Amino acid sequence: MMLKEHSLEMRGMPHQDLEDYFLSIGGKQVGPGMYLCSDWKVELSNESYCTLGSLRVPVTFVTFQVNEEEWPSIVKAFRLRFLSAGG
């Protein structure tokens, strides 16, 4: 199985929500911010903040190591879970 690395910058999502997501889909925490499943490995950066005017928005970088053939379905499910609209 050839693993490929993909990184996403997540803004506006609390770090805890990301942790909970990876645990809920079968991941096991193997270290601080590191989650492992049979098909993927994920590393979450520490949460930082981006200031936009008077708003402070949480920012977390999510780095996936995943089989390239499975990446489209994994990223689709991830993005669908964290899809949000302003308002």
Side-chain angles (χ1 to χ4, degrees):
M1 177 167 69
M2 177 78 167
L3 296 180
K4 178 126 183 183
E5 190 170 286
H6 298 273
S7 294
L8 300 174
E9 179 180 4
M10 299 300 295
R11 290 186 178 196
M13 302 301 152
H15 197 271
Q16 186 64 51
D17 289 358
L18 295 165
E19 291 176 340
D20 292 344
Y21 171 74
F22 291 112
L23 292 172
S24 75
I25 62 169
K28 303 290 182 212
Q29 189 168 11
V30 295
M34 304 219 25
Y35 300 87
L36 182 64
C37 191
S38 60
D39 299 330
W40 49 262
K41 179 180 177 184
V42 168
E43 183 174 352
L44 301 177
S45 71
N46 290 329
E47 185 176 69
S48 60
Y49 290 89
C50 173
T51 302
L52 301 169
S54 62
L55 300 175
R56 281 186 75 218
V57 178
V59 177
T60 303
F61 290 91
V62 181
T63 303
F64 294 84
Q65 288 184 1
V66 62
N67 184 331
E68 190 64 24
E69 295 167 356
E70 296 174 28
W71 172 243
S73 63
I74 289 174
V75 74
K76 181 180 179 181
F78 179 77
R79 286 187 170 154
L80 187 59
R81 165 59 183 87
F82 291 101
L83 181 66
S84 65

